Amino acid sequence: MPAANQSSTSSLKRVPLHDLHVSRGGKIVPFAGYEMPVQYAAGVLKEHLHTRTSAGLFDVSHMGQIALRPKSGKVEDAAIALERLVPQDILGVAPGRQRYAQFTNDQGGILDDLMVANFGDHLFLVVNAACKAEDEAHLRAQLSDVCDITPLSNRALIALQGPKAADVLAKHSSTIAGMRFMDAGTHRVLGIDCFVSRSGYTGEDGFEISIPADQAERLATTLLVDPAVLPIGLGARDSLRLEAGLCLYGHDIDSATTPVEGALEWSVQKSRRAGGARAGGFPGADVILKQFETGAARRRVGLKAEGRAPVRENAPLFASETSTEAIGVVTSGGFGPSVKAPVAMGYVPSSSATDGTVIFAEVRGQRLPMRVAPMPFVPNGYKR
């Protein structure tokens, strides 16, 4: 499971579905300032494989939800304003669509990664739990001149993920089936007005559903009645996103990691790159745009172990079995239940980032061979 951002139990908050997690036998652990379920009775392995083949219900209510409303009433003004803070083309996000983005700092590092949806008259942002207070303060400090920034703390956020997610959710909403990958907007689910996106964090087809907190248990309980659906905890969430090659903030990307180093160039559209219609103008643009031209000294890569021993976060990486100086570090790692083998991701010099390159991870004093491998480790199931 993710280990960072844990807090002392005395300061932990509870999500709206806390009682449901306890009643379902969820093992509760501290995570990102909240009491969250790490697994249920089925166990991490079964929860992982069930999500890959059927549908898993995740509670991600600890994450931050923020409405960015333009004072002018024109969503384009909010988009242009947000482009001051992120390298992405936000103006190009059409109504009813969403895009992955990153807040950057003056050094080009990533302050947080987020999802940005265009709801027609405002932008809807989903940010990481551990960063949400800083993100809100950042938005207020930088964009209050043109936008009203409203944290939506009265809403829960759940995710239904897996190849059967669409069929399950379509039983409770007449408009879900027509959504494509990264569509986002208001849909009635179980008669409740929800903010729904066809996206998620597992590599599978699925949906993220923002719902009024006082309605969350009714919806979650209804979905869990379906035999296709199991509740899924943080443990399987982490192994699923690792197999999908998706970054976890604070682990695979952070304030000292640029989007280019993080192999996230795909997320920066041409309009924000050198020569584009709105090139630069975001924090760290000089660093990031230069890396687009010359490359970065290091790069995030996928790693497949040659043996059966899992290689976990913080394991140092070496060029050979005998070299004395580490060339990189594992940022996420573990056993991939769908891959049926250990998988990891980490940073290595760009000269060692070519697929097929063999490097060595040090685990309890032993050097274990790993091969640089393309990601995702399992094909994604997005409905494009």
Side-chain angles (χ1 to χ4, degrees), residues 10 15 96 116 135 150 155 182 191 195 207 231 294:
S10 62
V15 291
V116 182
D135 290 343
T150 307
R155 301 187 73 86
M182 298 299 263
F195 306 154
F207 303 85
T294 63

Side-chain angles (χ1 to χ4, degrees), residues 223-276:
L223 294 173
L224 286 169
V225 168
D226 196 305
V229 181
L230 276 184
I232 310 296
L234 292 171
R237 181 171 180 255
D238 198 46
S239 58
L240 288 158
R241 70 93 193 167
L242 173 60
E243 286 186 337
L246 298 171
C247 295
L248 181 62
Y249 190 78
H251 297 247
D252 309 297
I253 51 175
D254 56 28
S255 61
T257 307
T258 71
V260 177
E261 290 173 326
L264 298 171
E265 297 98 324
W266 57 268
S267 71
V268 180
Q269 290 73 35
K270 290 182 180 179
S271 62
R272 306 305 310 281
R273 301 188 190 184

Side-chain angles (χ1 to χ4, degrees), residues 325-338:
E325 188 171 344
I327 61 169
V329 64
V330 169
T331 51
S332 290
F335 186 79
S338 303

Side-chain angles (χ1 to χ4, degrees), residues 311-383:
V311 177
R312 304 194 185 279
E313 183 178 358
N314 294 325
L317 297 169
F318 295 84
S320 72
E321 279 190 280
T322 57
S323 55
T324 58
E325 188 171 344
I327 61 169
V329 64
V330 169
T331 51
S332 290
F335 186 79
S338 303
V339 179
K340 296 182 173 60
V343 292
M345 61 177 82
Y347 283 85
V348 298
S350 294
S351 58
S352 299
T354 304
D355 289 346
T357 302
V358 175
I359 56 179
F360 292 80
E362 188 166 277
V363 179
R364 292 187 290 276
Q366 285 190 313
R367 298 284 174 91
L368 307 178
M370 304 191 83
R371 193 176 294 275
V372 176
M375 294 185 285
F377 296 109
V378 296
N380 66 55
Y382 305 142
K383 299 298 181 184

Side-chain angles (χ1 to χ4, degrees), residues 300-317:
R300 180 176 63 94
V301 296
L303 297 165
K304 277 190 172 180
E306 299 284 275
R308 299 291 296 173
V311 177
R312 304 194 185 279
E313 183 178 358
N314 294 325
L317 297 169

Side-chain angles (χ1 to χ4, degrees), residues 144-316:
S144 289
D145 56 336
V146 290
C147 294
D148 292 322
I149 296 105
T150 307
L152 305 177
S153 54
N154 60 344
R155 301 187 73 86
L157 187 66
I158 60 176
L160 188 66
Q161 300 282 293
K164 296 183 181 178
D167 289 342
V168 170
L169 201 57
K171 296 175 185 175
H172 309 288
S173 174
S174 61
T175 57
I176 291 297
M179 297 181 72
R180 300 172 296 146
F181 180 58
M182 298 299 263
D183 277 354
T186 301
H187 293 261
R188 287 187 70 79
V189 182
L190 208 65
I192 308 164
D193 285 334
C194 299
F195 306 154
V196 182
S197 65
R198 195 159 192 167
S199 61
Y201 201 54
T202 61
E204 297 296 330
D205 180 31
F207 303 85
E208 292 197 340
I209 307 163
S210 170
I211 182 172
D214 61 358
Q215 297 292 321
E217 184 164 341
R218 183 163 75 92
L219 176 57
T221 301
T222 300
L223 294 173
L224 286 169
V225 168
D226 196 305
V229 181
L230 276 184
I232 310 296
L234 292 171
R237 181 171 180 255
D238 198 46
S239 58
L240 288 158
R241 70 93 193 167
L242 173 60
E243 286 186 337
L246 298 171
C247 295
L248 181 62
Y249 190 78
H251 297 247
D252 309 297
I253 51 175
D254 56 28
S255 61
T257 307
T258 71
V260 177
E261 290 173 326
L264 298 171
E265 297 98 324
W266 57 268
S267 71
V268 180
Q269 290 73 35
K270 290 182 180 179
S271 62
R272 306 305 310 281
R273 301 188 190 184
R278 297 184 309 287
F282 51 85
D286 53 342
V287 175
I288 295 169
L289 296 185
K290 185 175 182 181
Q291 289 183 347
F292 268 103
E293 294 178 6
T294 63
R298 63 174 188 148
R299 186 169 182 81
R300 180 176 63 94
V301 296
L303 297 165
K304 277 190 172 180
E306 299 284 275
R308 299 291 296 173
V311 177
R312 304 194 185 279
E313 183 178 358
N314 294 325

Side-chain angles (χ1 to χ4, degrees), residues 11-19 22 28 33-36 61:
S11 61
L12 295 175
K13 300 175 184 175
R14 289 183 173 177
V15 291
L17 293 177
H18 177 82
D19 290 347
V22 172
I28 305 298
Y34 286 82
E35 294 183 52
M36 297 295 291
S61 299

